[in-house]
Amino acid sequence: MQANISIWEKESFFAKQDVIIVGGGLMGLWSAIAIKESNAQLRVTILEKNSTPLGASTRNAGFACFGSPTELLHDAQTLGESAMLAITEKRYKGIQKILRYLPKHTIDFDPCGGYECLTQSQLPTDSIAEKIAYLNKLLAPITQTNTTFIRNDAALTFFGLQHFDALIQNKLEAALHSGKLVKALQVVAFQSGIQILSGIDVIECKQINNGVQINTQQKIVFNAEKVVLCTNAFSNNINTGHTIPIMPGRGQIILTSPIPNLPLHGTFHFDAGFYYWRNLGNRILLGGARNKAFEEETTTELNTTNKIQRELEQFLQKHIHPSIHYSIEQRWSGIMGFTQNHLPYVHFIESNILAVIACNGMGVALTPIIAEEVAHNILQTNG
């Protein structure tokens, strides 16, 4: 039974669309913008379940990064050099695209640089120079510099960090405000003629003849020529007749009280990216520790847990110099989407339904470029 709607609603807000995008986070917004830029005549609507995007887009740590050294080394070994470089180039170009689209001040973009903290057990210090040289040579055609990574152990003391054995710096990475990024993209989408409807809970998406019908919890039925699923870790909550190969990963975060004269400035990684922290003004934001409880953190539940929260607090106590005093003022979590090969999943699950999910914790950097693939695929099938 369909919802009780007026003719005005049916022929305006709920009219048949050329493209409907399910999910109003970063992937959905960038995809809608890219599609509209490719063909301004297309009717494009974004359907978002919540009042604001709730997965990871506005609940992450606000890193504009393209890969710490140990992450890239791991990917080169497991995926191969070519695949590692291809995905890293997309991340790097994604950050550049953000800056072309949006003024830095509107998203609190801070070119603070990225850092990876290392211990001897994680990467022997006598092999760091060799690994840096290897990565710098591979990345030079992408970053246009021969020194993407440099070793800078002295900065550990300057930043008020302790109990690490080495520090690798990347001046090309940055921090930003995730909420302001999403709001700025919503403005771009609106100005492009894209409709965004919030509070629409999609429960079924099925191909019918040459189009797609979307059924919702609100009993409103939408119809479109094409549908793009940008629902990430929540994709299998929608009945499509397919199981999408994605695993959820919860990222828990803590935020300290303001710290006078905080020396920490930058985005930091440790343990192959399982721990990540940054300064947010004069506060410290720390997230991660998912690897301490993989099974429990493979969930779409947005609550925080005592186990991970304690682990994050203990990490801060160990690695932040004791002269830096703070309390924990805020806690939250976000839900990321992961694939087994750690590459984005961009596939037509039906001829008119494209699933675009799983940035594997790199959504800020990847979504602007993946969106261009989305537009190409959608317009190609239209043509």
Side-chain angles (χ1 to χ4, degrees), residues 192-260:
S192 302
I194 296 162
Q195 175 177 242
I196 302 176
L197 298 178
S198 298
I200 304 295
D201 185 1
V202 173
I203 58 176
E204 185 179 42
C205 185
K206 57 183 179 180
Q207 185 155 317
I208 299 178
N209 299 323
N210 292 322
V212 183
Q213 178 178 301
I214 292 176
N215 297 316
T216 69
Q217 193 69 48
Q218 292 74 23
K219 307 300 183 184
I220 301 169
V221 177
F222 292 86
N223 289 280
E225 296 293 330
K226 309 288 180 184
V227 167
V228 184
L229 295 179
C230 298
T231 41
N232 208 24
F234 301 88
S235 296
N236 287 316
N237 292 347
I238 299 172
N239 179 17
T240 62
H242 300 269
T243 299
I244 297 173
I246 185 170
M247 295 180 295
R250 179 169 55 195
Q252 298 191 40
I253 289 175
I254 60 177
L255 180 67
T256 73
S257 57
I259 302 169

Side-chain angles (χ1 to χ4, degrees), residues 119-128:
T119 60
Q120 180 71 18
S121 60
Q122 185 184 21
L123 184 65
T125 53
D126 59 2
S127 68
I128 290 176

Side-chain angles (χ1 to χ4, degrees), residues 77-249:
Q77 185 176 18
T78 56
L79 302 176
E81 285 183 2
S82 296
M84 180 275 282
L85 289 172
I87 196 69
T88 303
E89 183 173 16
K90 289 177 181 178
R91 296 169 186 163
Y92 179 78
K93 287 182 175 179
I95 297 171
Q96 307 310 307
K97 183 174 177 178
I98 291 171
L99 294 178
R100 291 199 304 272
Y101 270 70
L102 303 169
K104 292 180 180 179
H105 70 274
T106 64
I107 57 174
D108 293 353
F109 189 88
D110 180 7
C112 53
Y115 302 85
E116 180 164 25
C117 299
L118 298 168
T119 60
Q120 180 71 18
S121 60
Q122 185 184 21
L123 184 65
T125 53
D126 59 2
S127 68
I128 290 176
E130 175 190 349
K131 300 299 185 184
I132 287 178
Y134 167 73
L135 289 173
N136 282 344
K137 183 177 180 180
L138 288 178
L139 294 177
I142 297 172
T143 60
Q144 300 299 303
T145 177
N146 294 321
T147 55
T148 301
F149 297 112
I150 61 170
R151 186 170 175 177
N152 187 6
D153 296 357
L156 285 168
T157 301
F158 176 80
F159 288 135
L161 297 170
Q162 60 179 6
H163 302 307
F164 295 116
D165 297 316
L167 186 72
I168 299 179
Q169 178 179 354
N170 177 356
K171 293 182 179 180
L172 302 176
E173 294 188 329
L176 50 73
H177 190 298
S178 301
K180 291 182 180 181
L181 173 61
V182 169
K183 286 191 70 175
L185 290 174
Q186 288 175 337
V187 171
V188 173
F190 178 77
Q191 292 173 340
S192 302
I194 296 162
Q195 175 177 242
I196 302 176
L197 298 178
S198 298
I200 304 295
D201 185 1
V202 173
I203 58 176
E204 185 179 42
C205 185
K206 57 183 179 180
Q207 185 155 317
I208 299 178
N209 299 323
N210 292 322
V212 183
Q213 178 178 301
I214 292 176
N215 297 316
T216 69
Q217 193 69 48
Q218 292 74 23
K219 307 300 183 184
I220 301 169
V221 177
F222 292 86
N223 289 280
E225 296 293 330
K226 309 288 180 184
V227 167
V228 184
L229 295 179
C230 298
T231 41
N232 208 24
F234 301 88
S235 296
N236 287 316
N237 292 347
I238 299 172
N239 179 17
T240 62
H242 300 269
T243 299
I244 297 173
I246 185 170
M247 295 180 295

